[in-house]
Amino acid sequence: MTATILVVEDEPAIQEMIALNLKQAGYAVLCAGHAAQATQITNDALPDLVLLDWMLPDMSGIEFAKKLRRETRTKNIPIIMLTARTQESDKITGLDAGADDYITKPFSPRELMARIKAVLRRRLPEITDEIIAIGGLRLDPVSYRVYAQLEHVPEKTVELVLGPTEFRLLHFLMVYKERVHTRTQLLDRVWGDHVFIEDRTVDVHIRRLRKILESVGKENLVQTVRGAGYRFSIKKQEENADL
Ligand code: CA
């Protein structure tokens, strides 16, 4: 899956250099020159990671990081601070504000990419390309394929044909298995943009996903938790649950 990275940097040359490197590495890139613009962008769609310059014209990067951490919708976005400062106390201030990592300018594109990769792997495992196998399903994010073991003939597998949204949804649920996600969380993390989409959209795609899983007798892996949301679980759901 392609991760979207928001670059908040007021120096055009540096912003451009970073954006170019990120695009070459296969990331989708959004750019903002100041905090207000960055806020506008995050209101529209949540990025998967924010590269945040410390010194911005309208608000310091530290203040902006705190603002992201304060709001429910943005509080979990991974943040990497960029700064020319090198003092240890500044580094601590950045991490105190909720930054996941810290890069001191000047940095090499290679170092930047390595840090981004490490933070994404730690914070957003659904972004990685690793094959994931649970409950007789095997999902490959690189080839975009899902295989299912047949319930009564486990040595046989069939490929499931999923739409792009169902694929992302299943991937996300499998990565965070046994956890319940609200519709809003799913819209933010799977759709990436919840502004123009209704919560009911999630139900529609869950239904489609279950229907596909039903063809191999695995619809019970995607469970409805009444009043809370959805989860992927290999444990049997209680009798009176709302399926
Ligand atoms: Ca700056």
Side-chain angles (χ1 to χ4, degrees), residues 41-155:
I41 291 172
T42 54
N43 284 345
D44 281 349
L46 280 187
D48 296 303
L49 184 142
V50 179
L51 279 179
L52 181 57
D53 187 29
W54 184 301
M55 302 287 276
L56 295 169
D58 53 342
M59 182 192 274
S60 81
I62 293 293
E63 284 309 311
F64 187 66
K66 285 184 183 162
K67 182 173 173 285
L68 290 175
R69 289 289 177 257
R70 264 199 309 271
E71 288 163 25
T72 319
R73 191 167 163 258
T74 53
K75 71 174 183 209
N76 291 320
I77 302 178
I79 300 170
I80 298 178
M81 298 285 307
L82 304 173
T83 179
R85 301 175 184 223
T86 50
Q87 289 178 325
E88 191 62 22
S89 65
D90 292 335
K91 184 172 170 176
I92 291 163
T93 311
L95 296 174
D96 273 352
D100 292 88
D101 202 0
Y102 186 96
I103 303 179
T104 308
K105 291 176 187 173
F107 50 82
S108 70
R110 236 174 116 180
E111 183 190 359
L112 179 67
M113 294 308 141
R115 299 284 191 98
I116 289 174
K117 243 184 158 169
V119 169
L120 286 177
R121 199 181 304 127
R122 193 169 76 230
R123 294 285 310 278
L124 300 173
E126 77 271 22
I127 295 291
T128 68
D129 288 342
E130 279 161 37
I131 289 173
I132 174 161
I134 315 164
L137 291 179
R138 189 167 175 278
L139 183 145
D140 182 349
V142 176
S143 64
Y144 239 76
R145 286 172 190 269
V146 182
Y147 298 94
Q149 259 172 7
L150 292 180
E151 205 64 28
H152 302 293
V153 214
E155 66 277 11

